[in-house]
Amino acid sequence: MKLPDKELVIFDLDGTLTESKSNLRPDMARALAALLARKKVAVIGGGAYHQFREQFLAELAVPKPLLANLFLFPTTATTFYRYRGGWRPVYQFLLSKTEVKAIKKAFADVLKEVRYVPPRKTYGKVLENRGTQVTFSALGQDVVAALGKQGLRLKEEWKKENTPLKIKIAKLVQKRLPKFEVRTSAYTSIDVTHKGIDKAYGVRKIGKTLGVPIKAMVFIGDGLYPGGNDHAARRTGVQCIAVRGPEDTKKIIRNILTLASH
Ligand SMILES: [Mg+2]
């Protein structure tokens, strides 16, 4: 199936529709409004629903009827929200209290083992229970919310200096949690979920939930390279388009709309 004939466009959120943990920009909101008038749109990301609400929905000024075409899949599609007069959860695969406890203990043990030295200042929770996922963020969940661009710079700096350490921590946590999936993501984070929760799971889950076959979807993400957090999506056979950031994404949306109108 050719791009303009696809029924559903799936976007990664962070780094694809927005800069990392930054708000959706007005020009992207306009592009999405135009797309929603023609296609079903799904947004998938590692962040929790509250993150989607603040970073994405709050800035998405589109006519209400169009929201029926928009489907949100926070925490890698272990949660699904749709619009029915308001945003409502359809399903949520929560981690149990015991599971969350075990994950937190694993991090505490590993950080001790590697003699982890935390950054001088952190912003918000470093270890966050997102319901379906527990996430470690070296600088804290709220560093970008608190510092804006400066927060992004801090994340980039931390990434440059500490990526080998981040990978080591993730490996050691994985060893202690064989029943879970431990994954590093773009900058400063390590995500822990039930096993088998990745973007491949997400794409299949989205397809099943919305009743759209893989060949009628396209996936757009900034982490489609090997080792990137969108790479697993390729396993499903869905058509994938790699972008470097929101500017590229806007061009792709424009392409779909131009081609679809002929
Ligand atoms: Mg991304």
Side-chain angles (χ1 to χ4, degrees):
M1 194 183 275
K2 295 229 171 73
L3 187 56
D5 304 321
K6 302 279 186 185
E7 192 182 328
L8 170 69
V9 184
I10 306 175
F11 293 98
D12 163 57
L13 179 59
D14 243 25
T16 300
L17 287 177
T18 70
E19 302 290 346
S20 174
K21 285 210 172 173
S22 308
N23 287 352
L24 187 76
R25 305 276 293 270
D27 48 348
M28 184 63 87
R30 279 194 295 277
L32 284 172
L35 189 63
L36 282 166
R38 311 288 296 264
K39 304 281 180 195
K40 288 182 179 142
V41 172
V43 182
I44 182 172
Y49 171 68
H50 73 82
Q51 179 82 29
F52 273 56
R53 214 175 45 213
E54 288 153 26
Q55 179 179 350
F56 181 72
L57 288 180
E59 309 295 328
L60 187 75
V62 307
K64 291 245 156 71
L66 289 182
L67 295 178
N69 271 343
L70 178 62
F71 308 94
L72 302 182
F73 293 88
T75 46
T76 319
T78 54
T79 310
F80 170 41
Y81 275 76
R82 71 182 308 171
Y83 192 83
R84 290 204 165 123
W87 285 98
R88 314 240 184 269
V90 180
Y91 68 69
Q92 273 177 302
F93 301 130
L94 298 173
L95 293 165
S96 73
K97 270 193 189 143
T98 321
E99 288 173 322
V100 172
K101 228 173 156 184
I103 295 167
K104 287 190 170 168
K105 180 166 186 325
F107 271 100
D109 290 350
V110 167
L111 293 180
K112 212 176 196 182
E113 185 185 329
V114 302
R115 297 202 169 83
Y116 179 69
V117 182
R120 224 171 301 142
K121 193 162 164 45
T122 55
Y123 301 81
K125 283 186 180 158
V126 170
L127 204 54
E128 186 188 36
N129 175 9
R130 296 180 175 175
T132 55
Q133 174 179 310
V134 173
T135 296
F136 168 87
S137 307
L139 292 159
Q141 296 301 322
D142 304 329
V143 62
V144 177
L147 302 180
K149 283 227 168 91
Q150 168 66 7
L152 281 180
R153 270 196 295 276
L154 283 180
K155 284 175 76 168
E156 261 159 38
E157 251 168 52
W158 193 93
K159 175 188 177 178
K160 245 189 230 157
E161 287 164 18
N162 296 292
T163 295
L165 175 64
K166 183 176 81 170
I167 292 169
K168 185 176 175 190
I169 293 171
K171 273 195 181 138
L172 290 170
V173 170
Q174 178 72 80
K175 237 188 196 167
R176 282 174 168 74
L177 300 171
K179 287 188 186 144
F180 296 86
E181 192 95 46
V182 181
R183 205 172 299 101
T184 61
S185 67
Y187 288 89
T188 59
S189 304
I190 301 171
D191 297 326
V192 183
T193 60
H194 282 136
K195 251 210 156 28
I197 307 295
D198 58 14
K199 293 273 166 80
Y201 165 86
V203 166
R204 289 193 193 105
K205 190 81 196 165
I206 290 169
K208 252 189 224 152
T209 305
L210 303 181
V212 178
I214 293 282
K215 64 173 177 1
M217 310 176 195
V218 55
F219 181 96
I220 299 168
D222 71 316
L224 282 161
Y225 51 86
N229 69 355
D230 297 322
H231 187 250
R234 293 192 185 274
R235 279 209 320 270
T236 65
V238 70
Q239 183 186 350
C240 291
I241 303 178
V243 294
R244 281 161 305 183
E247 282 308 310
D248 280 359
T249 306
K250 256 188 320 193
K251 278 182 208 150
I252 310 278
I253 295 174
R254 242 178 272 140
N255 262 343
I256 296 174
L257 289 170
T258 319
L259 293 168
S261 62
H262 292 302

